[in-house]
Amino acid sequence: MFWASYLLAVLAIILAWPVPVLLSRAQWPARSPFTAMLLWQAIALAGGLSMIGAMLVYGLEPIGDNLIAGLRALAGMVLFNAPTTALGFWHIFALSAAALLTAHLVFTLLLTYYKIQRQRRRHRELLALLASPSGQDAGTLVISHDSPVAYCLPGGARSVTVLSDGLMAALEPAELRAVLIHENAHLSQRHHLLLWAFAAWRQALPWLPTTRLAQESVNSLIEMLADDVALRTESKATLIKAIAIVASGSAGTGGGDIRPSSPSLALSGLEAASGGPGSDAVRTAATRVSRLLTPQPQLPAAIRSAVLAGSVLLLALPTALLVVPGLLG
């Protein structure tokens, strides 16, 4: 497992820096946001697996020719007082670092989920006091706010879409339908789960710049995916006008707004996409409008298939290095 640990370390470095930077600067994701979304997920999963796996494999190298054998021997040392003389200082250090990093990532994931659920619950309590039914359907609420506001609040059967009366007054019926379709797409495609995972990744490793790039890119991609759903039934001009109107509201909103400050807490649909208010929302809206005004053809099927195959390989490579007996040992 000696060479496997070094290959995993190299893979972790590549997936932690150059690959995410290049992908965040690429133009093609706007042409196939679903494919790009899968690639981002593969990068995040394979990067984390390689990072932890490199330390595990190095630490277990003296006592097993693969991860499973090494863990079995380690369990014997911990549970049955088997001799530990085969493990040197740096092996024990690597194993401890792998355990701490794993615990940190899992704890941060659960803590982020807890925070999200708590803030969503508080937000629902505010909506119960300040919002009223839209009259269109039970899943749409209206708040009294002069600025155009639209977002969705995930919650399974309790999921709702929230609109402001300022937005409803500013939009034509077709534009309002585009907003609702966009928000419903967020809910039906479970975009909040993606935002939760990437928000947790950023919280766990804030010192890694690529976690910010990944979160921003994923936030933008989910907006494109929801836009594409709206375009199935509404015209491009209708959607562009709706985006512009809602973005103008997000740029000028002041205090007293009950909207959540992060899409990971409640999905901000046409109103915001990058995780923050003000200029971030306007910049994201500008990117989406530009994509609609100058549409590019979808990536050819062969290229999409190649990207998907690459995503699978990204996950398969560290897995193989970890579990295949004696691979590169």
Side-chain angles (χ1 to χ4, degrees):
M1 294 201 296
F2 179 78
W3 288 108
S5 64
Y6 284 95
L7 285 177
L8 285 167
V10 170
L11 183 60
I13 293 172
I14 292 174
L15 295 178
W17 183 253
V19 170
V21 169
L22 291 174
L23 183 56
S24 68
R25 295 175 180 175
Q27 300 299 316
W28 69 262
R31 298 172 59 186
S32 293
F34 179 76
T35 303
M37 181 75 74
L38 292 178
L39 180 57
W40 272 114
Q41 293 177 70
I43 290 171
L45 290 172
L49 187 60
S50 298
M51 190 183 305
I52 296 171
M55 294 182 286
L56 266 181
V57 169
Y58 176 80
L60 296 173
E61 188 269 337
I63 57 175
D65 63 355
N66 68 358
L67 179 65
I68 297 174
L71 288 176
R72 186 181 296 115
L74 183 63
M77 295 177 181
V78 174
L79 300 176
F80 305 108
N81 296 320
T84 61
T85 53
L87 293 176
F89 171 80
W90 290 111
H91 298 110
I92 296 175
F93 179 84
L95 290 172
S96 300
L100 286 174
L101 180 57
T102 302
H104 175 62
L105 291 175
V106 173
F107 176 78
T108 304
L109 185 68
L110 296 176
L111 181 61
T112 303
Y113 178 80
Y114 169 76
K115 289 180 177 179
I116 289 173
Q117 292 300 108
R118 183 181 61 183
Q119 295 193 38
R120 284 178 182 161
R121 183 169 59 252
R122 292 177 178 175
H123 197 85
R124 287 192 185 91
E125 293 172 356
L126 283 174
L127 289 175
L129 296 173
L130 302 176
S132 57
S134 67
Q136 298 180 353
D137 62 79
T140 304
L141 301 177
V142 178
I143 57 174
S144 179
H145 201 297
D146 292 337
S147 295
V149 174
Y151 64 91
C152 57
L153 189 66
R158 298 182 298 165
S159 298
V160 294
T161 297
V162 182
L163 309 174
S164 68
D165 48 15
L167 175 72
M168 298 182 71
L171 297 181
E172 299 294 332
E175 296 157 1
L176 183 59
R177 284 197 304 271
V179 171
L180 292 173
I181 293 171
H182 179 106
E183 300 300 337
N184 288 332
H186 282 315
L187 296 172
S188 63
Q189 295 181 9
R190 305 292 192 271
H191 290 161
H192 55 285
L193 298 179
L194 289 170
L195 292 175
W196 162 45
F198 281 91
W201 189 29
R202 185 174 179 181
Q203 288 289 323
L205 304 172
W207 46 267
L208 191 63
T210 48
T211 60
R212 174 184 56 83
L213 295 176
Q215 187 182 31
E216 291 176 352
S217 296
V218 168
N219 289 346
S220 181
L221 288 170
I222 65 169
E223 296 301 321
M224 295 179 189
L225 288 169
D227 285 344
D228 290 344
V229 174
L231 286 175
R232 296 174 188 171
T233 54
E234 304 300 330
S235 70
K236 189 180 303 180
T238 295
L239 182 58
I240 289 173
K241 186 178 177 182
I243 293 172
I245 290 175
V246 181
S248 68
S250 67
T253 298
D257 190 0
I258 70 167
R259 294 175 303 169
S261 60
S262 169
S264 64
L265 304 180
L267 279 168
S268 299
L270 291 164
E271 164 267 328
S274 62
S279 60
D280 287 343
V282 174
R283 183 169 60 251
T284 301
T287 300
R288 294 162 58 202
V289 169
S290 176
R291 175 178 181 257
L292 294 171
L293 288 174
T294 56
Q296 299 293 321
Q298 189 180 44
L299 285 179
I303 296 180
R304 296 200 307 274
S305 298
V307 173
L308 293 177
S311 300
V312 173
L313 287 176
L314 274 181
L315 293 173
L317 180 57
T319 302
L321 291 173
L322 285 170
V323 301
V324 175
L327 183 64
L328 298 175

